[in-house]
């Protein structure tokens, strides 16, 4: 690759794809595919109890922080905002970040750059680059597969091996639940930390693993527990947080790094909370006390199907593990794949029921999906099983199959997926209620724990449970009578237990805040029924900025 003639003096625009997102349009937006993590793929059947929030585009934030060229990040623009940015500033390089579903928007953005800023070089990166033949679908000068920081540094003639500087990232924005938008208080939301990209396990369907090198490979930004600790201290003091969303496919797999982090946390008396992704096998490398002392408060874990090549015993183990984690105050987000090769219309209901019986706090369901760039895609393509007329905008695992399944039709794939979400909600109740259950269990177990860091963490959590969350329980108990009476009774029981622990404050808040929350919940339900959707705000952030001469 040739470096850009202006090197580090080149003026760069890095943009995510344009919105609005939660609507059907010709560029590939889909109402089923809003720019929201939970409402898109986890709590989408939970109505007004769905957890709604946005997450920034961290890939381009990371690139911007790690180059010395003048650089703007434009996140969640409208088409008009993107056009305005191109015409009001003179950019030498326009970088567009996208995933596969958004290839139609990338095509349109490249067209706009050629028209409005014809001297700019166009660089496209992110998972969209994995589409075979993408260079014929979009008009770009460079298509970057894999890690983008080192690529951009090389392109600008900078040192690609310089240490990684981590931007300050607030993990979630504009959080909303039960019709109430939570205030954006400094330190009120976790900070995102990205220790690595990719995963060495190389599961055949896994797009993040494949994109960063596949089996045996991944890119580590922070190798040691010491480096991570120093980074977290800096972010703690700058963002005033004590809670971190650790965006690493493998955080607990690297035991040496995690245990060193724990040592440093203990020495410095850090009472941090960590939300992590981890497989059951990785979690089993730790005792519950190690996890709790490390501040693990939320894990996102794949749940094995009892018949997908795993022994029944192991399936039962994971159920036991989920129960244990929750008993220790660790919220569990399960992830289940619907439409595996062995699924049939006769066994799939039983399989989904088995997943739901794990009773996780949150549950993500995804269709088994061959995604371009993965070994599974290659395999399906060789077998001639890929459906060639499916728009890439619909290849994301939340709609219908993009391949011919041996036993389940495309239409039925959607029916089973939608049913899984509904069934989990109906039989386990709103995720907010389940989280309250986990919090109470954690508090009861650890409120007198000898390590003050641990006590402090559970005290912080339980403050919410004894106040606003108890009012929410009061509302959920009422509203759920219409859905499932026995779950409503379980919520009632939990509320009584919370009120036993905190007799004054819990009752007072339920009585005062409860009716307001009930009103806002019903208003939200009404709005959703009328088709209300939510969109993230547009961000523009400039670094090393000098106005164009
Ligand atoms: C945060 C996140 C989101 C956020 C929003 C992010 C955003 N603002 O766009 C939310 C929750 C809203 C979201 C939504 C969806 N997401 Co998402 N998301 C993620 C997640 C968890 C983290 C992304 C991240 O920041 N990673 C860390 C950064 C550093 O890595 P990165 O983004 O890949 O960037 C690196 C390189 O790709 C490259 N790069 C990126 N951009 C650019 C640009 C240039 C110019 C260059 C040179 C390089 C470059 O350099 C970066 C540094 O190395 C990933 C999973 C993952 N582990 O990455 C999934 C992931 C990206 N999402 C995915 C999917 C499928 C979706 C959804 C379709 C959900 C669904 N239905 O399944 C929706 C789509 C929403 C929409 N309308 O567009 C898939 C993408 C699959 C694919 N191959 O395209 C992923 C990989 C998850 C998965 N394993 O399936 N997502
Ligand atoms: S363990 Fe998870 S992140 Fe790693 S390759 Fe498998 S599915 Fe991907």
């Amino acid at each position: 690759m040739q470096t850009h003639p202006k090197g580090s003096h080149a003026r760069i625009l890095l943009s995510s794809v344009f919105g609005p997102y939660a609507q059907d349009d010709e560029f590939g937006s889909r109402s089923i595919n809003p720019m929201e993590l939970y409402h898109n793929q986890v709590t989408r059947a939970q109505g007004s109890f769905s957890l709604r929030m946005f997450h920034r585009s961290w890939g381009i934030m990371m690139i911007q922080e790690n180059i010395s060229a003048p650089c703007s990040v434009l996140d969640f623009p409208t088409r008009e905002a993107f056009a305005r940015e191109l015409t009001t500033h003179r950019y030498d390089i326009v970088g567009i970040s996208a995933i596969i579903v958004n290839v139609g928007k990338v095509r349109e953005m490249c067209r706009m750059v050629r028209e409005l800023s014809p001297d700019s070089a166009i660089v496209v990166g992110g998972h969209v680059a994995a589409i075979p033949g993408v260079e014929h679908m979009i008009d770009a000068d460079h298509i970057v597969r894999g890690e983008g920081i080192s690529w951009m540094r090389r392109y600008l003639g900078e040192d690609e091996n310089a240490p990684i500087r981590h931007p300050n990232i607030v993990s979630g924005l504009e959080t909303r639940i039960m019709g109430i938008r939570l205030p954006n208080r400094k330190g009120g939301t976790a900070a995102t930390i990205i220790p690595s990209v990719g995963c060495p396990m190389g599961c055949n369907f896994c797009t993040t693993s494949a994109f960063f090198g596949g089996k045996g490979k991944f890119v580590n930004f922070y190798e040691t527990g010491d480096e991570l600790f120093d980074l977290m201290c800096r972010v703690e003091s700058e963002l005033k947080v004590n809670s971190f969303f650790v965006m690493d496919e493998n955080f607990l797999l690297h035991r040496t790094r995690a245990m060193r982090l724990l040592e440093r946390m203990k020495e410095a008396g850090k009472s941090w909370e960590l939300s992590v992704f981890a497989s059951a096998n990785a979690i089993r490398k730790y005792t519950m006390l190690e996890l709790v002392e490390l501040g693990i408060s939320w894990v996102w874990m794949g749940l094995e199907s009892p018949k997908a090549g795993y022994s029944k015993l192991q399936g039962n183990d994971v159920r036991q593990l989920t129960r244990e984690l929750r008993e220790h105050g660790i919220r569990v987000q399960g992830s289940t794949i619907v439409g595996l090769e062995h699924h049939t219309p006769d066994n799939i209901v039983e399989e989904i029921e088995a997943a739901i019986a794990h009773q996780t706090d949150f549950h993500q369901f995804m269709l088994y999906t061959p995604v371009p760039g993965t070994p599974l895609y290659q395999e399906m393509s060789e077998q001639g099983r890929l459906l060639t007329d499916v728009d890439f905008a619909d290849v994301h695992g939340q709609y219908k199959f993009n391949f011919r399944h041996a036993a389940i039709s495309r239409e039925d794939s959607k029916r089973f997926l939608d049913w899984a979400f509904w069934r989990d909600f109906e039989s386990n109740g709103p995720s907010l209620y389940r989280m309250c259950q986990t919090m109470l269990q954690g508090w009861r177990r650890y409120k007198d724990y000898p390590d003050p860091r641990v006590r402090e963490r559970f005290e912080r959590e339980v403050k919410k449970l004894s106040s606003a969350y108890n009012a929410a329980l009061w509302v959920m108990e009422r509203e759920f009578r219409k859905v499932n009476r026995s779950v409503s009774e379980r919520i009632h029981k939990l509320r009584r237990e919370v009120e036993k622990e905190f007799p004054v404050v819990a009752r007072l808040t339920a009585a005062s805040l409860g009716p307001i929350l009930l009103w806002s919940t019903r208003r939200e339900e009404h709005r959703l029924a009328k088709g209300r959707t939510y969109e993230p705000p547009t961000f523009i952030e400039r670094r090393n900025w000098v106005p164009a001469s």
Side-chain angles (χ1 to χ4, degrees), residues 206-219:
C206 182
T207 177
T208 32
S209 175
F211 194 65
F212 295 99
K215 209 174 179 67
K217 304 219 173 80
F218 67 110
V219 182

Side-chain angles (χ1 to χ4, degrees), residues 199-203 205-206 208-209 249-250 279:
C199 173
M201 303 298 280
C203 299
F205 59 85
C206 182
T208 32
S209 175
E249 309 281 10
N250 263 306
S279 67

Side-chain angles (χ1 to χ4, degrees), residues 399-466:
Y399 182 50
K400 295 177 183 175
F401 282 150
N402 64 332
F403 71 105
R404 247 190 319 281
H405 190 278
I408 296 172
S409 71
R410 194 161 183 257
E411 292 310 312
D412 280 347
S413 68
K414 174 163 170 42
R415 269 184 224 122
F416 287 126
L417 180 72
D418 291 348
W419 181 77
F421 278 108
W422 167 250
R423 181 72 182 137
D424 176 59
F425 178 51
E426 194 252 324
S427 55
N428 290 325
S431 288
L432 181 57
Y433 148 65
R434 306 182 219 172
M435 268 172 55
C436 291
Q437 246 181 344
T438 307
M439 281 176 173
L440 185 65
Q441 298 193 79
W443 156 256
R444 282 183 169 161
R445 190 177 279 256
Y446 289 104
K447 64 182 172 185
D448 299 318
Y449 194 67
D451 183 343
R453 297 177 315 110
V454 172
R455 287 202 308 274
E456 198 188 303
R457 175 161 73 82
F458 283 100
E459 266 158 33
R460 271 198 315 266
E461 282 186 1
V462 91
K463 267 198 192 129
K464 294 180 233 164
L465 178 62
S466 61

Side-chain angles (χ1 to χ4, degrees), residues 33 40 55 57-58 97 100 102 147-148 207 247 249 366 396:
N33 203 10
N40 185 320
H55 295 79
S57 303
W58 301 325
S97 175
I100 287 170
N102 292 319
E147 209 284 292
T207 177
M247 188 51 251
E249 309 281 10
M366 274 276 175
H396 51 69

Side-chain angles (χ1 to χ4, degrees), residues 374-534:
T374 59
L376 178 65
Y377 187 84
Q378 185 63 28
E379 200 185 300
M380 290 279 179
S381 160
E382 282 160 14
Q383 291 171 10
R385 290 170 66 195
L386 288 175
L387 302 177
T388 48
D389 56 347
V390 176
D391 193 324
F392 279 120
D394 297 314
V395 179
H396 51 69
Q398 288 297 330
Y399 182 50
K400 295 177 183 175
F401 282 150
N402 64 332
F403 71 105
R404 247 190 319 281
H405 190 278
I408 296 172
S409 71
R410 194 161 183 257
E411 292 310 312
D412 280 347
S413 68
K414 174 163 170 42
R415 269 184 224 122
F416 287 126
L417 180 72
D418 291 348
W419 181 77
F421 278 108
W422 167 250
R423 181 72 182 137
D424 176 59
F425 178 51
E426 194 252 324
S427 55
N428 290 325
S431 288
L432 181 57
Y433 148 65
R434 306 182 219 172
M435 268 172 55
C436 291
Q437 246 181 344
T438 307
M439 281 176 173
L440 185 65
Q441 298 193 79
W443 156 256
R444 282 183 169 161
R445 190 177 279 256
Y446 289 104
K447 64 182 172 185
D448 299 318
Y449 194 67
D451 183 343
R453 297 177 315 110
V454 172
R455 287 202 308 274
E456 198 188 303
R457 175 161 73 82
F458 283 100
E459 266 158 33
R460 271 198 315 266
E461 282 186 1
V462 91
K463 267 198 192 129
K464 294 180 233 164
L465 178 62
S466 61
S467 53
Y469 288 7
N470 195 51
L473 285 174
W474 182 82
V475 176
M476 289 187 269
E477 172 188 333
R478 283 171 168 255
E479 295 298 88
F480 229 73
R481 277 185 211 137
K482 295 175 255 175
V483 184
N484 183 335
R485 203 157 248 286
S486 85
V487 174
S488 163
E489 278 157 20
R490 287 191 335 240
I491 302 175
H492 173 80
K493 224 172 117 216
L494 177 65
R495 184 165 66 81
R496 287 286 173 231
E497 286 176 44
V498 173
E499 289 175 359
K500 214 157 65 194
E501 289 284 337
F502 310 97
V504 181
V505 67
R507 272 183 209 166
L508 273 178
T509 18
S512 55
L513 187 61
I516 302 170
L517 266 184
L518 180 63
W519 171 80
S520 66
T521 300
R522 288 182 177 165
R523 185 189 56 173
E524 183 74 357
E525 212 55 71
H526 204 68
R527 285 174 170 168
L528 295 175
K530 284 170 117 179
R532 168 72 68 98
T533 54
Y534 294 98

Side-chain angles (χ1 to χ4, degrees), residues 13-15 17 60 63 82 93-100 102-111 113-114 121-131 134-135 137-148 151-152 155 211:
L13 171 64
L14 296 174
S15 182
V17 296
I60 48 179
I63 296 174
F82 182 60
I93 301 169
V94 177
I96 303 167
S97 175
I99 60 174
I100 287 170
N102 292 319
V103 65
K105 295 187 182 186
V106 178
R107 183 188 302 124
E108 171 63 4
M109 290 170 83
C110 291
R111 190 198 63 71
V113 179
R114 294 292 187 225
I122 304 180
V123 183
V124 171
H127 287 268
V128 72
I131 300 178
V134 69
E135 56 281 10
M137 299 174 188
I138 58 174
D139 178 13
D141 299 298
H142 301 277
I143 295 173
V144 180
R145 293 182 183 87
E147 209 284 292
W151 188 93
M152 195 56 92
Y155 186 46
F211 194 65

